[in-house]
Amino acid sequence: MFVARAFKAAFGFLAVIIFSRKLGASPLGTYYPFLALLGIVGLPADLGIGEATNKRLSEGTKKSSYLGAALVLKTPIVLIVGILVLIFEQYVNQFLGADLALLFVVTLFVKMAGGFSMAVLRGELRVGETAILEVIRPLSWLVVGYLFYLKGYGVRGLIYGYLFGSLLMAIIGWWKVSIPIGRPTIKHAKSILEYAQFSAVSSIGGFFYSWIDVAVMTMFVVVGTGVTRGDVGAYENAWRLALVVMLVGKSIAITLFPQLSRWDAEDATDRIESAIPSALLPSLLLVIPAFVGTLILSEDLLRVLYGPEFTVAWLALIVLAAGKIPQSLHILLSQALNGIDRPDLAAVAAVISAILNLVFNVVLIWQFGLVGAAIATTLAFAVNTLLHAYFLNKFVDIHLPVREAGWSIVASGVMGVCVYTLHSLVAIESIYSLLGVVLVGGVVYGAVVLMYEPIRSEAQRVLRPLVNTATS
């Protein structure tokens, strides 16, 4: 999953760089709200059924009946949501700044089909086989989107690339699914809905963290209060750049959820407790130095990678990088809480943080623009993380890798001094000089952090099976 997500990030990152340089910030200020609206509409279109299906299938009983019940529940919901979007076509187009409502509905249907196939595969404990699906959409966005750009389609070309990737994901995903669709029963449908009512609320929290800032900024664009579509494009590029460091954490979390669910069904609490600190450490070892590096190189990163007009988001990028530290904890704690079959508590945390996120974004974007959006999102998600830790600790003992994280802070400080010194001596004018400075910082950090024996031992423990597999 990590390798797949690394390629996914690489293709997506390359696409953002190319489209930013070719199109500029304003067209991206239409494309990103398109994705944000997909997230908004996707909440009622899914209603938590995808996550509930993952959970029930991973428990290992009556898989065919659960899959049949899930499809019967999900299909009419998606159709109704699509019809409602077409009824309010005028307002959808106004939000997007272009006549895209019909294309939006088609993309929604295809995206829902692909996402649900991945939920089924994960419920089969075949998480590794979803790896290829993780790569398809960003690769298609890059290749197909660029071809349409060359044909003069502009922002529509980006959407066509995203749609084509989603279609491939759906086709390959359902081709891989091995569970036959069984006869649905009221009992199985009720079981899915019992879990879905809470996982749907939790998914709201995930959406609010990912897209509510873009949605609120776009509303400010529509009403004409000073935020431009170029600002929206620059902010989302900063967000995506900060998100790169979450590759490890997300890969572990996706892989861990069905396994935690199985352990919970077997009452293997000790295995859950031992897995959490081991899962948290790799992500923390990346997000801490990433924040320090961003603190020094923020403006250079945006200018060299995307172009001068994107540097308006340099301070927002620093705040967003800081926000990845609590997110690295949350992404695993939330999976653990849902994995032990307590989506109700995850939903409580999600509702509280979502309300805070919305309020913070409206107030702080109005007052501070892009930086306000970054602060609002970071603060709300920090609250979400604390609530998940509080609830999870009621059922399992959480042991955070505090000493290892402390040493990572020390190593990041040493790295920061080296990067700052090098930055003052070397003018960063090209992607090569930028990569050179980043590489030096990475080598310094890696050398210092591995001086701490517990981290070195954990790295050897994780890497040894990979080395043995590669050499066998």
Side-chain angles (χ1 to χ4, degrees):
M1 283 303 301
F2 171 71
V3 171
R5 283 186 167 258
F7 277 104
K8 174 184 177 181
F11 292 137
F13 196 54
L14 182 59
V16 169
I17 291 174
I18 291 174
F19 295 140
S20 296
R21 292 182 175 185
K22 297 292 185 180
L23 298 175
S26 293
L28 291 176
T30 294
Y31 175 73
Y32 290 141
F34 184 93
L35 298 185
L37 192 60
L38 275 178
I40 294 174
V41 175
L43 293 175
D46 181 68
L47 283 182
I49 294 173
E51 188 69 16
T53 304
N54 182 352
K55 169 62 177 173
R56 295 302 181 227
L57 292 179
S58 68
E59 293 171 346
T61 60
K62 303 293 184 181
K63 294 182 180 180
S64 295
S65 296
Y66 276 122
L67 179 56
L71 287 171
V72 168
L73 291 171
K74 188 175 179 67
T75 302
I77 296 174
V78 176
L79 290 174
I80 291 171
V81 170
I83 293 171
L84 289 175
V85 170
L86 293 178
I87 291 175
F88 295 99
E89 176 181 359
Q90 176 184 350
Y91 300 101
V92 171
N93 290 335
Q94 185 178 4
F95 178 83
L96 298 176
D99 185 11
L100 297 170
L102 181 59
L103 181 58
F104 176 86
V105 172
V106 174
T107 306
L108 174 67
F109 288 165
V110 176
K111 181 187 177 185
M112 288 288 107
F116 191 63
S117 71
M118 293 183 68
V120 174
L121 288 171
R122 289 169 183 162
E124 293 186 65
L125 301 185
R126 296 165 60 196
V127 178
E129 295 183 42
T130 66
I132 184 64
L133 304 181
E134 294 275 353
V135 180
I136 287 174
R137 188 155 58 201
L139 178 58
S140 297
W141 184 44
L142 169 61
V143 176
V144 178
Y146 189 68
L147 291 176
F148 276 106
Y149 159 75
L150 293 177
K151 294 292 185 179
Y153 283 86
V155 69
R156 282 182 175 268
L158 275 64
I159 297 173
Y160 291 150
Y162 183 91
L163 174 58
F164 183 79
S166 299
L167 180 60
L168 284 181
M169 179 187 293
I171 293 172
I172 297 175
W174 283 107
W175 174 67
K176 281 179 168 289
V177 169
S178 63
I179 301 175
I181 300 174
R183 176 181 295 181
T185 67
I186 295 177
K187 175 185 176 182
H188 294 99
K190 183 179 179 181
S191 178
I192 289 175
L193 290 175
E194 285 175 351
Y195 191 94
Q197 64 182 326
F198 299 113
S199 61
V201 178
S202 297
S203 65
I204 292 175
F207 161 76
F208 266 65
Y209 182 63
S210 299
W211 287 113
I212 195 62
D213 41 11
V214 172
V216 173
M217 280 192 289
T218 304
M219 290 305 300
F220 277 114
V221 172
V222 173
V223 299
T225 56
V227 180
T228 67
R229 291 201 177 268
D231 292 335
V232 176
Y235 176 86
E236 179 60 19
N237 273 16
W239 169 274
R240 290 177 176 236
L241 183 57
L243 198 62
V244 170
V245 297
M246 294 305 302
L247 286 175
V248 172
K250 286 190 172 183
S251 302
I252 294 172
I254 289 172
T255 308
L256 200 60
F257 173 79
Q259 188 60 68
L260 291 177
S261 175
R262 179 64 60 86
W263 286 338
D264 178 64
E266 297 170 352
D267 291 325
T269 304
D270 56 331
R271 303 190 70 175
I272 296 175
E273 291 175 344
S274 65
I276 290 175
S278 296
L280 289 172
L281 180 59
S283 187
L284 284 173
L285 292 179
L286 285 180
V287 295
I288 295 173
F291 166 66
V292 174
T294 303
L295 195 62
I296 302 168
L297 300 174
S298 174
E299 191 168 355
D300 296 294
L301 287 166
L302 294 171
R303 174 175 50 82
V304 173
L305 293 175
Y306 305 130
E309 65 178 311
F310 290 88
T311 57
V312 66
W314 72 271
L315 186 54
L317 175 58
I318 293 175
V319 177
L320 291 171
K324 299 309 167 194
I325 297 175
Q327 186 185 1
S328 68
L329 300 174
H330 171 271
I331 195 169
L332 287 156
L333 297 178
S334 64
Q335 293 288 57
L337 191 58
N338 282 286
I340 65 172
D341 209 11
R342 292 312 303 262
D344 52 333
L345 296 178
V348 171
V351 169
I352 294 173
S353 63
I355 293 172
L356 290 175
N357 205 344
L358 178 59
V359 174
F360 287 166
N361 266 287
V362 171
V363 174
L364 295 179
I365 291 174
W366 178 42
Q367 292 293 322
F368 304 109
L370 277 66
V371 179
I375 294 173
T377 301
T378 300
L379 287 177
F381 212 76
V383 173
N384 198 1
T385 302
L386 290 173
L387 289 172
H388 273 82
Y390 172 76
F391 290 139
L392 181 61
N393 200 48
K394 291 178 176 290
F395 306 97
V396 298
D397 292 330
I398 303 175
H399 302 286
L400 299 178
V402 177
R403 292 182 179 180
E404 291 84 350
W407 184 254
S408 176
I409 294 174
V410 173
S412 298
V414 175
M415 178 205 73
V417 172
C418 294
V419 170
Y420 181 81
T421 303
L422 186 59
H423 181 260
S424 63
L425 297 174
V426 177
I428 299 179
E429 299 296 341
S430 69
I431 194 168
Y432 301 106
S433 56
L434 176 63
L435 288 175
V437 172
V438 172
L439 181 60
V440 169
V443 170
V444 171
Y445 172 76
V448 177
V449 82
L450 289 175
M451 292 172 60
Y452 188 53
E453 197 279 332
I455 294 179
R456 188 169 62 253
S457 298
E458 181 67 12
Q460 291 172 346
R461 184 187 69 82
V462 171
L463 293 176
R464 189 177 297 114
L466 300 179
V467 174
N468 293 338
T469 300
T471 56
S472 62

